[in-house]
Amino acid sequence: MPDSAPPTIGAAIRTGAAQLAASSDTARLDAEVLMAHALGITRSDLLLRHLDGQPPASFRSLLERRLAHEPVAYILGSQSFYGLELDVSPAVLIPRGDSEVLIDAARARFGECPPGRILDLGTGSGALLIAAQSLWSEAEAIGIDRSHAACQIAQGNAARHGKASVVQRDWSAPDWADDLGQFDLILANPPYVEREAELAPSVRGFEPAEALFAGADGLDAYRVLMPQLSRLLMPGGAAMIEIGATQADAVKALAHAADLSAKLHRDLAGRPRALEMAVLPNISLGKA
Ligand code: GLN
């Protein structure tokens, strides 16, 4: 090891964290997680037992990747969501803690009466699909994604965690859902970012554009999905759809235009994060 190498793991973490501070809000955590990954041990094991050891040579290259804004989840190849460890690659959006709101909202809605059939639209890594299946193991859970690479990641995750299935479909294609039937619970974290939005380099430079962007106003995917929900939902079913923090009114309007009710759910930071939708009862107005 060259003389300039940091003498201990603890010192290498400190130096790495200081370098990362300019580009990451979680510099110290990132450095610890990357070091644990380089050593092939857990972070708590690292902190409890290994700080005085020799830093492995591979830490430097992991740190360089993070300094170039690559998300930690892609460097590690995994991310936890709703307590489940999921494989991720640049073919799929990294599951966010904020999206767990959709699962909590579904849990509140269905309570002791489990949904029999679950559909996840644009499943990506399979995060929402697999989290829902983990709650309702008897349910038939199907995820769709138009990306073949995403379907492969989701299939691997689904197989490891349960029995959800994943099929490659494009929700903008005609007849894409004809053989899928109806669902008690529909989940979706569609692309909803405005094309020109300012995004962190770790997001814009690394996460898949087709999972992020939805036209100039970020609403293109909702425009395609909303009119399809009522025929995909069973009577009494509900859809939990993720939205951007400023999109609640616009997406509610699209839902109402498609004869759906829309109830807002907020994330842990109090920002609008999901809309719960159900088919409005068919009331005929103006009849004697
Ligand atoms: N929540 C993601 C972000 O802010 C966007 C996810 C999406 O478009 N579905 O980067």
Side-chain angles (χ1 to χ4, degrees):
M1 188 159 291
D3 289 348
S4 60
T8 65
I9 285 173
I13 291 173
R14 274 195 302 281
T15 311
Q19 288 179 279
L20 283 171
S23 57
S24 170
D25 293 338
T26 52
R28 171 84 201 186
L29 176 66
D30 293 0
E32 290 172 3
V33 168
L34 294 177
M35 182 63 84
H37 184 67
L39 290 163
I41 59 178
T42 65
R43 182 169 154 251
S44 51
D45 210 17
L46 164 70
L47 297 177
L48 289 173
R49 275 184 279 279
H50 294 274
L51 291 179
D52 296 328
Q54 284 275 311
S58 57
F59 175 66
R60 191 68 230 168
S61 59
L62 301 180
L63 188 67
E64 297 292 346
R65 288 170 66 182
R66 184 66 190 123
L67 285 167
H69 301 283
E70 185 169 348
V72 171
Y74 290 153
I75 300 175
L76 267 49
S78 78
Q79 171 72 35
S80 96
F81 182 80
Y82 221 76
L84 301 157
E85 211 48 46
L86 302 174
D87 284 352
V88 295
S89 82
V92 300
L93 201 72
I94 298 165
R96 314 304 204 241
D98 289 334
S99 303
E100 294 182 353
V101 167
L102 275 72
I103 303 298
D104 289 336
R107 217 172 169 167
R109 166 117 190 171
F110 287 92
E112 298 306 306
C113 180
R117 302 193 76 230
I118 301 170
L119 175 66
D120 181 20
L121 295 164
T123 195
S125 64
L128 292 171
L129 174 73
I130 295 164
Q133 231 283 271
S134 76
L135 292 176
W136 298 295
S137 56
E138 296 307 311
E140 182 191 0
I142 302 173
I144 65 132
D145 205 291
R146 76 184 151 189
S147 152
H148 178 66
C151 286
Q152 285 184 315
I153 297 277
Q155 271 155 3
N157 285 327
R160 245 177 327 116
H161 288 290
K163 61 181 177 78
S165 55
V166 178
V167 290
Q168 191 180 358
R169 295 289 163 90
D170 178 350
W171 65 51
S172 60
D175 311 332
W176 69 270
D178 277 5
D179 59 342
L180 296 182
Q182 289 185 309
F183 298 87
D184 303 286
L185 170 61
I186 296 178
L187 299 160
N189 178 12
Y192 57 69
V193 178
E194 302 91 332
R195 198 187 300 124
E196 305 298 334
E198 262 189 50
L199 292 177
S202 60
V203 178
R204 191 176 273 279
F206 290 90
E207 298 203 74
E210 63 273 28
L212 288 170
F213 301 110
D217 62 1
L219 299 173
D220 281 3
Y222 301 120
R223 289 193 184 94
V224 176
L225 286 175
M226 291 304 126
Q228 305 194 53
L229 289 181
S230 56
R231 83 181 141 76
L232 287 169
L233 283 169
M234 304 247 207
M240 306 293 168
I241 311 290
E242 183 161 331
I243 56 167
T246 60
Q247 293 173 325
D249 289 342
V251 184
K252 268 186 187 175
L254 290 170
H256 293 157
D259 294 324
L260 300 162
S261 61
K263 175 183 163 191
L264 180 66
H265 292 275
R266 291 173 185 272
D267 61 23
L268 291 175
R271 291 167 305 204
R273 182 56 58 194
L275 288 174
E276 173 175 348
M277 298 176 188
V279 180
L280 283 167
N282 200 353
I283 306 165
S284 319
L285 297 171
K287 288 198 181 148

